[in-house]
Amino acid sequence: MDRFEVIKGDITKQNVDAIVNAANHSLLGGGGVDGAIHRAAGPQLLGECKKLNGCRTGEAKITKGYKLPAKWVIHTVGPVWRGGNREEDTLLGACYRNSLELAVRNGGIKTVAFPSISTGAYLFPVDRAAGIAVQEIIRFLEINASIEKVLMVCFDDQTYRVYQEAAINLTRPQ
Ligand code: AR6
């Protein structure tokens, strides 16, 4: 699957049509990747987010990217890890699927970059999250031709290694 790639880097620096933000229900900013995206985009991003009425876990909303190289930001809310029996897996999968569906619906978005949703402040185990993320993205790309490239942008070495491994295991020809 050459339309999917795992890279190490900072998502705010990616030259893609849309980057995905691992936000919270309020969509009013926070720490981690959310804080970095708001800082890089500038205060106009918060202004637009205030009009969105928040976002439910597993769902996604779109804004412009303002000062970011990316034209669009897709905000999604990952599940907080509560032991694994609170539909965390389903909700995390929905974040990836709904973000990509929104990208397609918005029209003109051909390249999308994701961070590792829920594996920071929300404490979702990285190996489990990586399997779900890679599976959802690959499945989506196989049935949707309009998205040309999806990048998984990992911020640290450990996260990068885990997603690389998941990509190798899930994209190997059967
Ligand atoms: N580029 C790519 N990945 C990054 C960047 C960056 N610039 N900065 C951090 N990461 P987190 P969550 C990685 O905590 O677990 C916020 O306060 C980070 O190393 O940002 O979904 C929100 O407002 C980790 O691998 O998101 C919510 O309240 C991954 O991004 C809450 O945190 C996700 O970590 C959401 O928690």
Side-chain angles (χ1 to χ4, degrees):
M1 171 54 79
D2 57 0
R3 288 155 65 212
F4 175 64
E5 197 180 340
V6 179
I7 65 164
K8 210 192 130 193
D10 179 343
I11 203 164
T12 66
K13 305 262 172 23
Q14 302 306 312
N15 283 304
V16 287
D17 297 326
I19 64 170
V20 177
N21 182 15
N24 57 59
H25 288 135
S26 76
L27 296 184
L28 300 180
V33 71
D34 193 7
I37 289 172
H38 275 269
R39 273 194 302 280
Q44 284 178 294
L45 178 60
L46 180 60
E48 188 176 353
C49 283
K50 281 181 179 162
K51 299 176 192 157
L52 296 177
N53 280 317
C55 184
R56 291 201 186 102
T57 304
E59 296 186 355
K61 295 197 175 176
I62 191 163
T63 64
K64 288 186 270 187
Y66 299 98
K67 290 181 178 165
L68 288 162
K71 190 172 180 200
W72 304 100
V73 180
I74 295 169
H75 306 261
T76 188
V77 182
V80 176
W81 180 257
R82 290 196 178 93
N85 292 318
R86 306 281 195 91
E87 295 188 35
E88 291 97 327
D89 292 353
T90 307
L91 290 165
L92 186 65
C95 286
Y96 286 92
R97 207 169 46 252
N98 287 328
S99 295
L100 289 167
E101 272 168 12
L102 185 53
V104 169
R105 274 206 307 280
N106 196 57
I109 295 178
K110 297 195 179 315
T111 52
V112 179
F114 280 98
S116 175
I117 298 165
S118 281
T119 67
Y122 284 178
L123 298 173
F124 203 115
V126 182
D127 53 346
R128 187 160 167 158
I132 294 165
V134 174
Q135 195 171 34
E136 284 296 342
I137 292 167
I138 300 289
R139 206 179 272 165
F140 191 91
L141 289 175
E142 281 169 349
I143 54 167
N144 273 278
S146 67
I147 303 288
E148 291 170 1
K149 186 95 188 185
V150 173
L151 296 178
M152 188 73 222
V153 184
C154 302
F155 204 48
D156 61 89
D157 286 323
Q158 173 62 9
T159 303
Y160 174 66
R161 275 196 294 272
V162 173
Y163 276 83
Q164 275 252 297
E165 181 94 348
I168 289 163
N169 288 335
L170 288 165
T171 59
R172 192 188 288 140
Q174 299 301 307

